[in-house]
Amino acid sequence: MKFELIFNNKTLLIKVVKKKGMKNTYLRVKSAKMIQINTNYYFTKEDAINLLQRKQKWIENSISKFEINSLEDNEFYFLGVKHKNLDLRDLDKFYKKEVQKIVPPLVEKFSTIMNLYPTDLKYRKNKRTWGSCNYKNGLNFNILLVKFPIEVIEYVVIHELAHIEHKNHSKKFWNLVEEYCPDYKQREKLLKSFL
């Protein structure tokens, strides 16, 4: 089901995705102009409107974040700063080249401090993860990391190095991250503010 709704003087597309066996309802602001609701088969348009009214403040905040961080077709982020893509460069190639300059010195610095050393470093464009650590202690970093401020990149490096010691997100893992990145929660928020 799809419908349009005037919300705070803006026309929003509301997309309701009904899934079999879903017990909960999830609301996601997908862009400054679209909201998606994942829910069960019995959810009505009236239910959707009621939910949107109840979550109005949260929706407004989420939409304003999208508007602040939205990019024009000729713009891109690099180290947290918006730039114009005047020479129409291939951004994936640019990001891959830059991530290979920026991440290795950070890995070297924090490896030495934490006494945790990866077996390998790889870079690729991922949709879901900013970094990962495999069972052989090889680290993978998303080339799009260089869109974010340097403190976010440092946090991701520390996070992945901590996975060499703890292959999970246990309390011990987070304690280790916090030891070397005491403000990691703020850095996570900063990362999310760009998404």
Side-chain angles (χ1 to χ4, degrees):
M1 166 182 21
K2 286 182 186 176
F3 62 94
E4 287 189 343
L5 186 69
I6 305 289
F7 198 85
N8 212 13
N9 297 323
K10 292 175 189 157
T11 303
L12 297 180
L13 174 67
I14 313 301
K15 186 178 174 188
V16 180
V17 179
K18 297 184 179 188
K19 294 183 180 176
K20 201 174 181 179
M22 262 194 106
K23 291 180 181 166
N24 297 313
T25 296
Y26 300 94
L27 181 66
R28 286 186 68 195
V29 176
K30 301 284 271 184
S31 73
K33 295 178 181 174
M34 185 185 145
I35 294 173
Q36 184 171 308
I37 301 170
N38 292 341
T39 188
N40 59 58
Y41 276 113
Y42 307 105
F43 198 82
T44 64
K45 183 177 176 181
E46 192 177 289
D47 292 330
I49 291 167
N50 287 336
L51 175 65
L52 294 166
Q53 286 169 342
R54 282 198 322 273
K55 297 286 186 182
Q56 183 172 349
K57 200 83 192 140
W58 178 82
I59 291 167
E60 285 170 6
N61 288 340
S62 299
I63 287 172
S64 69
K65 279 182 194 169
F66 267 107
E67 288 171 341
I68 290 165
N69 294 321
S70 66
L71 295 169
E72 299 297 321
D73 288 342
N74 67 338
E75 293 178 325
F76 67 99
Y77 274 112
F78 179 61
L79 298 179
V81 179
K82 213 181 262 193
H83 295 272
K84 293 270 185 203
N85 191 7
L86 297 174
D87 53 0
L88 300 173
R89 71 182 73 183
D90 180 329
L91 287 179
D92 284 349
K93 279 184 184 168
F94 171 74
Y95 286 142
K96 187 161 190 176
K97 191 173 138 197
E98 293 303 318
V99 81
Q100 289 173 325
K101 286 184 206 168
I102 292 165
V103 169
L106 293 175
V107 170
E108 194 175 323
K109 173 187 170 183
F110 288 105
S111 286
T112 305
I113 294 168
M114 297 169 75
N115 200 26
L116 294 168
Y117 299 92
T119 55
D120 193 18
L121 292 181
K122 288 189 177 160
Y123 309 93
R124 63 171 68 101
K125 186 177 177 182
N126 293 323
K127 283 188 179 175
R128 295 171 192 262
T129 58
W130 297 112
S132 63
C133 174
N134 64 32
Y135 71 98
K136 290 180 177 174
N137 298 331
L139 302 186
N140 293 293
F141 292 99
N142 192 329
I143 64 168
L144 302 181
L145 256 185
V146 291
K147 289 165 70 172
F148 303 111
I150 199 73
E151 58 266 38
V152 170
I153 303 170
E154 284 179 345
Y155 160 66
V156 174
V157 167
I158 292 165
H159 184 112
E160 297 314 326
L161 285 169
H163 277 310
I164 292 173
E165 182 86 20
H166 303 285
K167 296 280 191 274
N168 52 38
H169 289 110
S170 63
K171 188 154 177 46
K172 284 180 179 176
F173 167 82
W174 288 113
N175 288 343
L176 183 60
V177 169
E178 192 169 24
E179 188 180 334
Y180 297 100
C181 190
D183 63 342
Y184 78 88
K185 287 181 182 172
Q186 282 76 22
R187 296 191 195 205
E188 274 189 335
K189 277 184 190 167
L190 183 59
L191 173 97
K192 287 172 184 167
S193 75
F194 277 82
L195 303 177

